Amino acid sequence: MGYNLKAMRFLKGMTQKELAEKSGVNIRIIQHYEQGTKNINHAWVETVLKLADALECDIRQIIE
């Protein structure tokens, strides 16, 4: 879980910190999604939209 998010972040050449700053999503939440300790499919829609906007991608590219 969170592999799509991590892959998209890598494709964009961003660190977790940069993604957190650009999206306004707490870095710890991003870490939890990427490590699979939290399921991004159960995230608030607003959170997923912020991440997708920051990554300039469709939300379907980061959800599992």
Side-chain angles (χ1 to χ4, degrees):
M1 292 181 199
Y3 304 117
N4 292 347
L5 176 62
K6 189 173 186 176
M8 286 303 298
R9 182 174 60 76
F10 275 122
L11 282 174
K12 297 295 180 173
M14 297 175 79
T15 64
Q16 288 178 338
K17 182 179 179 185
E18 290 169 334
L19 178 56
E21 290 171 355
K22 189 172 180 183
S23 67
V25 175
N26 188 290
I27 191 170
R28 293 282 182 217
I29 298 298
I30 294 169
Q31 290 169 341
H32 284 295
Y33 291 145
E34 288 191 2
Q35 294 168 359
T37 55
K38 287 187 181 264
N39 188 336
I40 197 165
N41 294 333
H42 297 268
W44 290 90
V45 173
E46 180 181 3
T47 300
V48 179
L49 284 173
K50 286 179 179 181
L51 292 168
D53 284 345
L55 292 167
E56 299 174 350
C57 69
D58 190 281
I59 62 169
R60 292 174 287 193
Q61 292 177 280
I62 58 174
I63 58 174
E64 306 291 314

